[in-house]
Structures are given as C-alpha cells and as structure tokens.
Amino acid sequence: MNYYLAVDIGASSGRHILSHVEDGKMILEEIYRFENGMTERDGHKVWDTVKLFGYIIEGLKKCRELGKIPVSMGIDTWAVDYVLLDENGEILGDSYAYRDSRTKGMDEEVYKIIPQSELYARTGIQKQMFNTIYQLMAVKKFGSEDLEKADRLLMIPEYLNYLLTGEKVSEYTNASTTQLVSPITKDWDYDLIDMLGYPRKIFGELKLPGTKVGRFTDNVKAKVGFDCEVILPATHDTASAVIAVPSLDEDNLYISSGTWSLMGTELKEAQTDPWSEKLNFTNEGGIDYRFRYLKNIMGMWMINSARKELAPDMSFPEICELAEKEDISSIVPANDDRFMAPNKMTVEVQNACRESGQQVPEGIAQVAKVIYYSLAQCYAETLREIEEQTGKHFDSIHIVGGGSNADYLNRLTAKACGRKVYTGPSEGTAIGNIAVQLMAAGEIENLHEARKLIFASFDIGEYD
C-alpha cells in the first residue's frame, strides 16, 4: 500500500496527514498536529522557521513510529511570505509575517515606479499591503543589505523543502501571489523586477505542481529514520484547496474557508481589466495554469480573534448556538483593512457599529452574530460581482476547508446568496496536496479524475 503525506501549515496551526487509496476512496489519517503563529522580534511580526521545521521533523518521525512510510510528501502553506538566502544557502535576516506593519506606505513607493493600474494590468493580482512586492520594497527602503547579499528568494514552503532536500525549487502557484509574475508568460516578470530594483538573480525558475523536488538529505534521513521523495503540490494552500473542490462542473464557484475566505472561480485566462481591479479581484495561479479569479475576504480570523478575547473556553458550536438566538442585525464591512490586525477584534467590531449608527454588540454571542452575518453579506456581494464580471451564473457555491464546518455561517450564506451551498471536505487543502502527489505517482490521471475521487471519498453537506 502506498502512503502519501501532506504537511499542511496554516497561520495558526499545522498538521501531517497521511493518505492512501483503498476501494476507490481516499483515506485520510491525521498523525501529527502543531501550533503555529507569528512571534514578535525587535518590534516586528516574524515566523519562527526553525521551530516550524522542527515540527515537520517530528511529524515525519510519527510516520516511522506507525510503520507507515510515505512514498512521497508535499508541503503547502499560506502565500506571500518568503526567506532570502545568501550564496552559502544561509538565511538572511528574519522571515517577516504578512501582518507585520513594515509595509505601510510601501505601496506608494512602488507606484512611484509603476502606477497601480498599470501594475494590476500587468500582473492581475489584487492589491494587498502584505504582497511580496511591497515586502521587498520595505527591505529596500529600510536600508537593509539583505537584498544585495541575497542569492535566492524562496517562499516559505519552498524553504522548508530546501531544508529537507538541499534543493532550491520555486513553485508557480505561490509565486503568482508575489505580484511579480506575468499571467501571460506565467513566469517572473523580469522587466518589472528590474524596474523595481530587485535583484533578478534571486528569482529562480518556476516549476509546476507535481514536480519532484528531491529526496531527504542524509541529515534528515538520520533524524526521521527513512527516505522519501518530496513533491511540489500547489504549495499555496488556497491553490491546493481549490483542487479539492468536489465539483465535476467546469464552472464552479468556491469558498476556501479558513483564516481567510477566498471566494472565486477558475478561469482559463486572467481578467486584468480596470473593473476587476476596482473590485479588487485577483488572478492567482492554479493547477494546469488555470487562474483562480477570486477575492480575499476576512474569514474565520475574525471569529477566532473574538473567541480568544471573550470566550476562549467556549467551543465554536456553542458560540454559534448562542449567536443564532440573538436579535441584532448590525453588520460591518468585513473586508475592511481595519479588521486585518486590530489590537482587539471585539473593540474594532464594536467601533465599526458605533460609527455607522448601528446597535453595538456586547458579549460573545452578539459579536459573533454580527461577524457571521457580515461575512455572509460579504459573500453575497462577491457572488454578484463574480457573476457580473464573468458573465456566468452559478447555481451553487462549494465551501471547502475548516470553515465549511460552521453550520450557522453556511445557513446564513445560503440565505444571503440565494444559492444552494455544498460543504466539505473540511481538510480541503491537505486533500488537494495529496491529489497532486497521486497524479505525480500515476495513481490518478488528471484533475478531473482527482475531483471524481474526492467526490466519492468524502461526505458533502447541502444547504438551501
């Protein structure tokens, strides 16, 4: 029996999930879970990559303990964040986290070189202050020598692959989120990179999901007790999650629901028109050079933050049950930047309601009601925008990822959007990761076959 390992790392936690195919179904087994989070260092939010890699090693040891040695493994993480390596392969400086404030004002520095509208037309990537293009401008403007010393840029999952194999391999879907890749050539936009004054040499050749990275180094083999092939999944977690959307219809509308809610559809060509820019849609790279035409929406981050502040010992089902009973109809603009990294999410939600003359929520039940209702309204608005922009009508919405378990939000979404909502699988990102490994191994032929397998393997919820 062939086992495949997905290491799926999010901003707040990570997990090692083993999988094999049995009787025409994909079987999953979570063998290791760990906490993740940004840490403060010298006044900045950074990632502890040493600790992250240590968790990966511990999860691999679990495979050995169970006697279930994977034939391959793949790592996916969030997008946009990176490390810089010097000519000796050593990390330069810190790996800054996307919520760090050092990118403030870096958009204007970039637009001095290339106007915002021209940048969007050129890359198709929505403006978000944490995009890699702005992060690199911060490195350049704050006088750091790291860019000059750098020999290679690797996104977070690529760096973890490098620590496992010693191979520096860059992957297309994650690279597309940097806002430095052309949707036409599907390669780094080197002319843009030159314009911005970023060293061209640090951007390596882009490889597609399914590419073999290499095998474990001798050091890693000694630590974990076995060898393994490392495969590139779609290393951007959302790209992996979209692979797992169990729709056999070419025209599907999805929400990858987790810390963020990514709502969109798959297109064969990027839409980089001015109206898409105005609506802040992005055209991120997907498998088979499909484009994920989507909008980033604040997701479970909002409710997770409120829970930590107000009711850390209460479960989400308990919170939902209480929220549903509350009689409060206030809504906030859930996708406003004010909710990205507030000191207190609860206070920010209350202030937004107060400023707009609405009832101010008090306590976890009312705050949760406002957040869930606001997210559902945001989904409905985004649905209308996608249909107008693509000229397509979508009969249903597929929600994958951990947020697909939010029963109350699913019902609110179906009502607000006026569409049938399908939910699951909840481990969408890991499943998409594994699906690419199965394709690389020849166990399944293509994306259509992968989605057929996923549809047959997992329970799918329905909401009208």
Side-chain angles (χ1 to χ4, degrees), residues 375-422:
L375 286 173
Q377 293 301 312
C378 195
Y379 296 161
E381 180 182 349
T382 303
L383 165 64
R384 290 191 293 271
E385 292 170 349
I386 292 173
E387 290 189 332
E388 289 174 2
Q389 283 299 103
T390 63
K392 299 177 180 179
H393 174 80
F394 299 94
D395 293 322
S396 60
I397 302 169
H398 294 255
I399 304 178
V400 297
S404 67
N405 294 319
D407 175 76
Y408 181 46
L409 178 57
N410 295 336
R411 285 186 279 119
L412 288 175
T413 300
K415 182 178 180 181
C417 294
R419 301 287 193 278
K420 180 170 285 191
V421 168
Y422 295 101

Side-chain angles (χ1 to χ4, degrees), residues 120 124-126 280-284 292-296:
Y120 184 85
I125 299 300
Q126 73 180 126
N280 211 23
F281 276 90
T282 199
N283 294 269
E284 295 173 351
R292 292 175 288 118
Y293 185 69
L294 60 84
K295 179 175 283 192
N296 280 23

Side-chain angles (χ1 to χ4, degrees), residues 289-307:
Y289 287 130
R290 294 167 180 238
F291 289 96
R292 292 175 288 118
Y293 185 69
L294 60 84
K295 179 175 283 192
N296 280 23
I297 300 168
M298 300 289 178
M300 296 299 104
W301 158 252
M302 294 183 73
I303 194 66
N304 289 347
S305 299
R307 174 179 171 270

Side-chain angles (χ1 to χ4, degrees), residues 342-357:
N343 290 329
K344 293 286 185 180
M345 183 65 72
T346 302
V347 172
E348 204 65 41
V349 170
Q350 290 172 329
N351 286 343
C353 291
R354 188 177 293 110
E355 291 163 13
S356 58

Side-chain angles (χ1 to χ4, degrees), residues 249-317:
D249 188 344
E250 278 294 306
D251 291 332
N252 61 64
L253 187 70
Y254 58 80
I255 301 174
S256 175
S257 181
T259 302
W260 291 89
S261 290
L262 298 308
M263 185 172 184
T265 188
E266 292 177 295
L267 300 177
K268 293 181 179 179
E269 294 183 1
Q271 288 198 192
T272 61
D273 56 280
W275 195 245
S276 291
E277 178 192 5
K278 182 177 181 180
L279 294 174
N280 211 23
F281 276 90
T282 199
N283 294 269
E284 295 173 351
I287 194 168
D288 297 338
Y289 287 130
R290 294 167 180 238
F291 289 96
R292 292 175 288 118
Y293 185 69
L294 60 84
K295 179 175 283 192
N296 280 23
I297 300 168
M298 300 289 178
M300 296 299 104
W301 158 252
M302 294 183 73
I303 194 66
N304 289 347
S305 299
R307 174 179 171 270
K308 286 180 181 178
E309 294 163 8
L310 297 176
D313 297 327
M314 192 175 290
S315 70
F316 288 111

Side-chain angles (χ1 to χ4, degrees), residues 314-351:
M314 192 175 290
S315 70
F316 288 111
E318 289 172 327
I319 291 172
C320 285
E321 185 177 349
L322 291 175
E324 192 169 2
K325 296 175 182 177
E326 290 293 330
D327 183 20
I328 183 172
S329 57
S330 303
I331 62 171
V332 297
N335 220 28
D336 194 282
D337 284 346
R338 70 189 297 169
F339 300 115
M340 191 172 83
N343 290 329
K344 293 286 185 180
M345 183 65 72
T346 302
V347 172
E348 204 65 41
V349 170
Q350 290 172 329
N351 286 343

